[in-house]
Amino acid sequence: MELQQLEYFKIVAEMQHMTHAAEQLNISQPALSKSISNIEQEIGVPLFDRQGRSISLNRYGKLFLTSVDTILHEYEKAKVEISSLVMPGYGDVAFGFIHTLGMEVVPELMAHVPDKYPNMKFTLTQAASYNLLKWLEEGQVDLCLSQRIKSKTINIEWIDLWSEELFVIVPKNHRFANRETIKLEEIKDEPFISIKRGNALRQIVDKLFEEAGITTNITFSGEEMHTVAGFVGAGLGVSLIPNIKGLNEYNVCKIRVSEPICERKIGVSWAGGRYLSPAAIQFKEYLVEYFKEK
């Protein structure tokens, strides 16, 4: 049964006159009669009492009309709701970002968004890059702010927005603590505190050490960078992380790496080839402009 057939039935039921209903619907009377007959055959009962040219709803027809009114009302309601969601400047955007960006970058970003898009609503999700990738694959988020992430199941588009320098951090009582710069190879024999596998930063750091021909002595892997900084501050090793907010509160010293260049690139990702609402597209473009200006 098609939605159009329900609309035809509603008009006939309200007018209780096949010819007049056909004229209002701008279709032939035989075509309208056939449509009503098909509905009755599908339901299995007559919906109208017919006496000559006169028709009137019977008790089955009245019951069916109540349901049809509900169906058509919900359909129109859904159209309005979805239309408002995809209307430029309106709608919901599901936006994910890695943990470190939630301390300063994303709050500052979102503080400016209402000035530009006062009618947009956001569902914000903070997670490790592994989970962001999963949710992007499943369609639970529209956009992700993170290091570049790659999928084995979908095509992920990515725009580079900015770069973050990575620093060697050591305990304040470490022999390197007073150094302004350091080569990566100089920490090859140090106990190393790392981010856990599955995190995009871990992949970047592992690749930097691999390209430098260094095998690290990983003694602990933390879920997030403040845990790593805490273990380094406790004298349990050294690490290589971005300059996260609050790093100075730990008992560590931050050293710039002179060789090789150590950085991670942060960008916006989305599922290529999948529908992206006008609101999500607008916000993506806003992200590009926002970080370009910064």
Side-chain angles (χ1 to χ4, degrees):
M1 191 178 301
E2 298 178 358
L3 191 66
Q4 187 180 59
Q5 289 179 293
L6 298 182
E7 293 171 341
Y8 286 178
F9 168 79
K10 179 176 172 62
I11 295 297
V12 173
E14 290 174 346
M15 302 188 75
Q16 300 200 56
H17 197 290
M18 197 68 72
T19 302
H20 293 168
E23 291 173 353
Q24 180 169 321
L25 292 167
N26 198 29
I27 63 173
S28 69
Q29 182 174 330
L32 181 58
S33 297
K34 178 64 174 176
S35 178
I36 299 300
S37 177
N38 288 340
I39 293 176
E40 291 177 322
Q41 288 179 18
E42 188 168 340
I43 293 177
V45 294
L47 301 174
F48 294 91
D49 290 331
R50 295 168 173 83
Q51 294 180 350
R53 293 186 178 182
S54 300
I55 62 171
S56 60
L57 276 178
N58 59 27
R59 64 189 183 94
Y60 303 116
K62 291 176 181 178
L63 180 63
F64 185 61
L65 179 60
T66 300
S67 297
V68 168
D69 283 338
T70 301
I71 292 169
L72 294 178
H73 173 74
E74 290 299 319
Y75 173 67
E76 290 301 322
K77 180 182 174 183
K79 284 201 301 182
V80 171
E81 290 177 347
I82 293 173
S83 178
S84 67
L85 287 176
V86 300
M87 188 183 302
Y90 288 76
D92 295 330
V93 178
F95 180 44
F97 52 93
I98 54 178
H99 285 289
T100 53
L101 302 182
M103 291 180 279
E104 185 172 14
V105 174
V106 173
E108 184 178 334
L109 162 72
M110 297 309 297
H112 290 85
V113 171
D115 296 332
K116 182 75 172 179
Y117 301 112
N119 298 307
M120 275 192 192
K121 296 180 180 180
F122 293 86
T123 301
L124 302 180
T125 304
Q126 184 181 27
S129 50
Y130 172 82
N131 288 325
L132 292 178
L133 171 60
K134 178 183 177 183
W135 295 330
L136 197 60
E137 289 173 337
E138 295 174 350
Q140 295 186 43
V141 295
D142 298 311
L143 304 168
C144 289
L145 204 59
S146 68
Q147 302 100 313
R148 188 163 196 167
I149 50 181
K150 296 182 179 180
S151 171
K152 295 180 180 179
T153 59
I154 66 171
N155 173 42
I156 295 182
E157 303 285 348
W158 190 77
I159 296 177
D160 180 5
L161 298 179
W162 80 92
S163 296
E164 284 188 338
E165 185 175 1
L166 303 181
F167 296 87
V168 167
I169 60 169
V170 301
K172 284 188 175 179
N173 61 357
H174 195 277
R175 68 182 188 281
F176 293 150
N178 294 324
R179 296 276 295 273
E180 291 186 2
T181 63
I182 193 170
K183 292 182 179 180
L184 200 59
E185 65 178 12
E186 293 183 72
I187 64 170
K188 64 181 180 181
D189 296 323
E190 299 289 327
F192 192 79
I193 310 299
S194 179
I195 290 288
K196 280 192 173 182
R197 292 190 182 278
N199 188 296
L201 178 63
R202 170 64 180 265
Q203 298 173 9
I204 292 170
V205 171
D206 285 352
K207 186 176 180 181
L208 284 169
F209 281 119
E210 181 183 351
E211 291 176 348
I214 298 171
T215 300
T216 54
N217 175 26
I218 297 176
T219 57
F220 177 78
S221 295
E223 291 283 355
E224 47 91 28
M225 279 179 257
H226 281 282
T227 302
V228 170
F231 271 72
V232 172
L236 299 175
V238 304
S239 192
L240 183 67
I241 63 173
N243 184 25
I244 58 175
K245 186 177 183 180
L247 184 60
N248 294 333
E249 298 176 8
Y250 294 91
N251 189 37
V252 301
C253 290
K254 181 182 66 179
I255 310 171
R256 174 165 279 120
V257 181
S258 60
E259 184 183 331
I261 295 174
C262 291
E263 63 180 16
R264 68 170 177 175
K265 295 183 182 296
I266 302 296
V268 58
S269 302
W270 68 98
R274 184 182 293 167
Y275 175 78
L276 205 59
S277 71
I281 292 172
Q282 280 190 312
F283 186 61
K284 171 168 65 72
E285 293 171 349
Y286 174 74
L287 289 175
V288 174
E289 288 301 315
Y290 176 86
F291 288 108
K292 180 180 179 181
E293 291 176 2
K294 292 181 70 69

